[in-house]
Amino acid sequence: MSGDTLWLDCVRRLEAQLPETDVNAFLRPLHAVLSAEQLTLLAPNRVVVERVRRDFLGPIRKAISELLPYDLTINVTVGAPSAVPTRTVIAEKVEEPPASTSFATGRLDPRYTLDAFIEGKSNSQARAAAEYVAGAPGGQYNPLLIYGESGLGKTHLMHGVGHSILARNPRARVVYIGAEQWLNQFTSAIRLGRAEEFKNHYRTADALLIDDIHFIAGKERTQEEFFHTFNALIETRKQIVLTCDRYPKELDGLDERLKTRFAWGLSVPVEQPDLETRAAILISKADQQDLKLKEDVALLIARRVRSNVRELEGALNRLAATARLTGQPVTVEFAMESLRDMFAVYDRAVTLDNIKKEVAGYFNIRLNDLSSVRRTRSLARPRQIAMALAKELTQHSFTEIGDAFGKDHTTVLHAHRKVAELRESDPRVREDYSNLLRKLTT
Amino acid sequence: MKGQQLPLAVALRETSSFASFHAGPNTQAVSTLRGLLNPGGGLALLLHGPAGSGKTHLLQALGREAASLRISHAYVHLPSHLAELPEALAGLEARKLVCLDGLDEAPLPEAGVLALARLIDAIKSRGGNLVLAARKPGHQLQFARPDLATRISACASFGLRPLSDEDRARLLMLRAHARGLHLPDDVAHYLLKRLARDIGSLLEAVETLDRASLSAQRRLTIPFVQSVLLRA
């Protein structure tokens, strides 16, 4: 059903309740755009918008709720149906054949295999779990939930599991879909009276991979349907793999029953990769583009670009594009020149002053405390972390960093070693350090 | 009115092509963009630059060239489809080249942000080419969800640098030439000194002068341009 068709039906209902002059002046001129969760009413000007919002939104909501079996957010705004030139699509002569099922699901990205996944300390647990699940789907780790921030490789691992299951059993039905696409399909299946078809499609998969499951938080009906699909698959020992932007227990708006069920399987984190892993990722991605990237160049980029894998990819893509264009060899000098703008942005963000400010704010201490002579643990630890961050993020020497903190270079050297040690042994220091690193580099 | 030729109501619209774009300091961005039309591909680019820096022109020029080479492609001005972005983007991954314009001209709704993130994944997984255009560079772009920002950070990013005065003068002469109008060097520099310096205003002036010159059957000289601009 298009938005305008729904709107016509709605206006027909309202005609019986509202004065004809109002319907003609304020409701008929509206155009409607319908998406999965929202009906947007486009009005010709602000006067109409305000009048509709003030006097007619209630009756409109009621009429829509009688016409549709699910709730929609209704939004009134100034706008007009878009003109043709804002969207031009030129297809090839031979269109792709339509998908065999009407519930289109995503394709597994051929590049995202487990073999192509670069392992480091930050993701080794997730990688090992993915390997295990791929070898024994529907077994001990069901569901497998991979969580972490955007751009760290969750989707890569998930696709990798899908590829490996298919490599072992080419007849397996591996279904991959984004959570919001699942939601859209679910609402339109209900609208079109095809809920049964929708259920069968997903409940008969051999492996169901749902990306960004956090998207269903706060959406009760979708969670209800997902809950049943989840149960159906687990009972028949089919594998479920999910990705989420945080540890699921921390996800507000997610049904407790789902949180409990997610805990039946295995939740594994992916974190920001360390320097060596970042360099290895760059070399591997360069290989995929037939670009020979020397280690010194990879390290140069990895030192500056540290927030996530996609930013590394962006730097590499820019470098590769420039190298192809100019035909020059990719040396450290060439990389410095090609990525000058990008590096300048990072350098601006990570000054000694900025590091001190962020660390003081994070630990809720005064800026002066970072340079004071007091040695209480509550001040000494933040000071050491600030110095270690300064060493990792800037090109300054130990002496220069010491000057900025009113200390000598041996104190900085000690802080640098101490924090490296604590990051291995103390989870709280590890978390504080990685939070600050992220704040300073994104 | 005697002696005046009435210009047609519809001014000839210059078509956005690479030939009518003066690259100036942006040759690398332009060459990389054109390189997308070569076989192979699978590149994602972000073009960024302030309003009037030529992003839309370049995207449309690329579309024209793709059409002439029978390469399937799509161009979408995102702010024009805010209310129905998922629908406007549906199925575009099947094109060899997808150009998405106006990434940061208006805040994109969450559903659109997610649809865009999925589209980027789908284009890359199929080895297609993607060009995004935004006013701000990638690290300054903010969206309803971080998923899109990180995907955009994976694009090779090219900033369109502003043209120097010399480049601006050359651009004006190039555009005038495309209209069959001779714009002498001294008149071009005169315009640069007297008008707002953004490319949009300058090109509008060329259009006005084209009409006036056609109507008055006069060549472009400084006195004539002075009289036209005073009238405007």
Side-chain angles (χ1 to χ4, degrees):
Chain A
M1 185 191 291
S2 80
D4 279 333
T5 319
L6 174 67
W7 182 239
L8 273 181
D9 288 346
C10 179
V11 171
R12 254 180 236 127
R13 278 175 184 253
L14 295 171
E15 275 170 346
Q17 307 161 25
L18 300 171
E20 194 189 335
T21 46
D22 284 351
V23 172
N24 287 338
F26 299 107
L27 302 182
R28 281 197 205 286
L30 303 184
H31 283 278
V33 180
L34 184 63
S35 66
E37 298 174 292
Q38 185 166 290
L39 180 72
T40 305
L41 298 174
L42 301 171
N45 56 52
R46 282 223 63 82
V47 177
V48 176
V49 170
E50 276 159 27
R51 185 69 202 280
V52 171
R53 282 187 187 155
R54 197 184 68 211
D55 296 331
F56 307 122
L57 216 46
I60 291 172
R61 274 208 189 95
K62 189 163 178 296
I64 296 284
S65 71
E66 288 163 5
L67 288 165
L68 289 179
Y70 57 95
D71 289 337
L72 277 181
T73 311
I74 297 171
N75 181 21
V76 192
T77 181
V78 175
S82 38
V84 179
T86 60
R87 186 175 184 272
T88 325
V89 179
I90 310 295
E92 279 174 322
K93 276 183 193 155
V94 185
E95 281 288 328
E96 293 201 353
S100 56
T101 165
S102 46
F103 294 109
T105 46
R107 282 160 44 122
L108 293 179
D109 191 317
R111 298 164 308 163
Y112 291 169
T113 60
L114 290 180
D115 285 342
F117 189 83
I118 303 294
E119 190 177 329
K121 249 189 265 173
S122 56
N123 56 32
S124 58
Q125 201 191 345
R127 161 78 191 258
E131 289 278 7
Y132 183 91
V133 163
Q140 199 182 346
Y141 298 150
N142 203 11
L144 171 65
L145 189 144
I146 306 162
Y147 67 92
E149 286 172 25
S150 182
L152 298 178
K154 301 187 296 291
T155 305
H156 185 148
L157 278 175
M158 175 186 250
H159 284 221
V161 172
H163 283 304
S164 294
I165 291 175
L166 282 171
R168 288 182 170 93
N169 174 14
R171 299 177 72 179
R173 242 190 96 223
V174 175
V175 177
Y176 163 74
I177 189 163
E180 82 290 352
Q181 293 167 315
W182 159 288
L183 166 79
N184 292 344
Q185 288 186 7
F186 176 56
T187 44
S188 67
I190 293 180
R191 201 164 58 208
L192 301 168
R194 293 171 58 199
E196 273 310 306
E197 209 181 318
F198 175 85
K199 285 176 189 171
N200 288 337
H201 178 70
Y202 288 103
R203 292 183 193 180
T204 53
D206 292 310
L208 177 61
L209 321 178
I210 301 194
D211 217 351
D212 299 325
I213 195 72
H214 47 267
F215 191 75
I216 66 169
K219 297 177 174 89
E220 278 175 31
R221 285 207 59 187
T222 317
Q223 290 191 40
E224 177 80 27
E225 174 56 28
F226 179 68
F227 179 73
H228 293 305
T229 304
F230 184 96
N231 287 341
L233 290 172
I234 295 279
E235 274 166 24
T236 49
R237 297 179 66 80
K238 307 296 187 193
Q239 182 65 44
I240 299 174
V241 185
L242 308 168
T243 69
C244 188
D245 67 354
R246 71 201 71 180
Y247 189 51
K249 284 212 166 130
E250 293 167 8
L251 198 58
D252 292 334
L254 187 69
D255 191 333
E256 281 305 320
R257 293 182 305 174
L258 280 176
K259 285 188 186 176
T260 314
R261 272 163 176 74
F262 289 170
W264 288 355
L266 179 68
S267 296
V268 283
V270 283
E271 288 166 356
Q272 279 183 307
D274 53 28
L275 176 69
E276 291 74 21
T277 313
R278 293 199 298 276
I281 290 171
L282 279 167
I283 290 171
S284 155
K285 286 197 181 287
D287 268 354
Q288 288 169 17
Q289 299 190 25
D290 291 328
L291 178 78
K292 265 255 140 307
L293 194 67
K294 288 190 195 140
E295 204 177 322
D296 54 352
V297 180
L299 279 167
L300 170 85
I301 302 172
R303 270 200 193 96
R304 304 288 185 109
V305 182
R306 48 184 80 235
S307 56
N308 63 55
V309 178
R310 292 204 179 105
E311 279 202 29
L312 286 174
E313 208 179 324
L316 179 69
N317 286 340
R318 169 75 207 244
L319 191 67
T322 315
R324 270 190 208 115
L325 210 63
T326 59
Q328 288 185 51
V330 182
T331 59
V332 167
E333 294 71 31
F334 177 78
M336 290 282 277
E337 179 58 28
S338 308
L339 301 174
R340 197 176 44 194
D341 294 352
M342 200 171 181
F343 287 171
V345 171
Y346 292 105
D347 291 347
R348 264 199 301 277
V350 284
T351 58
L352 290 174
D353 280 347
N354 215 357
I355 292 170
K356 286 165 78 175
K357 218 183 300 170
E358 279 293 344
V359 172
Y362 182 85
F363 289 105
N364 210 9
I365 58 175
R366 288 177 309 161
L367 203 55
N368 288 343
D369 290 335
L370 286 175
S371 316
S372 78
V373 289
R374 290 167 63 199
R375 290 187 184 183
T376 54
R377 171 71 66 86
S378 61
L379 297 183
R381 192 68 81 228
R383 193 183 295 138
Q384 287 174 330
I385 288 179
M387 289 176 182
L389 283 165
K391 188 63 207 155
E392 179 168 351
L393 294 178
T394 71
Q395 309 294 317
H396 292 292
S397 66
F398 284 119
T399 310
E400 285 167 332
I401 296 169
D403 288 346
F405 286 84
K407 311 282 171 200
D408 63 33
H409 74 281
T410 52
T411 312
V412 184
L413 187 63
H414 172 71
H416 181 57
R417 287 187 184 146
K418 182 75 187 167
V419 171
E421 203 180 289
L422 287 170
R423 282 172 65 198
E424 292 293 326
S425 60
D426 184 340
R428 276 183 55 193
V429 173
R430 184 163 57 237
E431 195 187 330
D432 289 341
Y433 192 88
S434 93
N435 286 344
L436 280 162
L437 200 62
R438 192 172 53 244
K439 271 171 178 267
L440 286 160
T441 54
T442 43
Chain B
M1 296 291 279
K2 202 179 167 192
Q4 261 194 349
Q5 183 180 338
L6 288 174
L8 285 172
V10 187
L12 275 178
R13 195 179 161 76
E14 290 154 320
T15 44
S16 300
S17 68
F18 284 113
S20 62
F21 187 82
H22 182 69
N26 300 310
T27 45
Q28 203 179 72
V30 175
S31 308
T32 308
L33 214 51
R34 295 186 84 163
L36 296 181
L37 299 168
N38 297 333
L43 256 185
L45 302 183
L46 170 70
L47 273 190
H48 62 88
S53 55
K55 302 182 295 293
T56 301
H57 183 117
L58 284 174
L59 258 52
Q60 292 190 341
L62 190 64
R64 277 168 61 89
E65 210 148 302
S68 71
L69 294 168
R70 295 175 186 274
I71 295 172
S72 67
H73 66 279
Y75 167 87
V76 180
H77 181 246
L78 299 171
S80 306
H81 298 270
L82 287 184
E84 78 293 344
L85 261 187
E87 292 79 1
L89 300 177
L92 296 190
E93 66 275 12
R95 312 286 157 252
K96 293 252 166 43
L97 170 69
V98 177
C99 299
L100 304 176
D101 200 0
L103 198 57
D104 57 349
E105 276 174 36
L108 305 180
E110 192 182 19
V113 167
L114 279 158
L116 197 47
R118 295 282 172 236
L119 175 66
I120 294 175
D121 287 351
I123 291 171
K124 290 175 87 175
S125 101
R126 286 166 178 256
N129 289 305
L130 170 72
V131 187
L132 298 159
R135 289 179 181 169
K136 290 184 185 157
H139 67 276
Q140 286 179 19
L141 295 175
Q142 290 195 324
F143 301 101
R145 301 192 57 85
D147 316 61
L148 181 59
T150 59
R151 280 164 173 82
I152 289 170
S153 69
C155 297
S157 172
F158 289 89
L160 292 177
R161 293 173 203 277
L163 299 184
S164 65
D165 274 0
E166 215 36 61
D167 282 327
R168 278 168 210 259
R170 245 177 264 142
L171 171 67
L172 289 184
M173 289 190 269
L174 196 69
R175 288 301 180 91
H177 183 73
R179 292 171 163 267
L181 187 69
H182 175 63
L183 177 68
D185 195 58
D186 59 334
V187 180
H189 280 94
Y190 174 82
L191 288 175
L192 284 176
K193 276 191 203 126
R194 299 299 158 106
L195 295 172
R197 301 166 75 82
D198 68 280
I199 303 292
S201 306
L202 290 170
L203 296 181
E204 254 173 49
V206 172
E207 196 172 318
T208 309
L209 290 174
D210 184 22
R211 284 166 175 276
S213 144
L214 182 62
S215 167
Q217 292 286 293
R218 293 265 311 267
R219 275 189 295 183
L220 294 184
T221 57
I222 291 182
F224 175 67
V225 168
Q226 257 173 344
S227 71
V228 173
L229 294 180
L230 277 179
R231 244 186 296 150

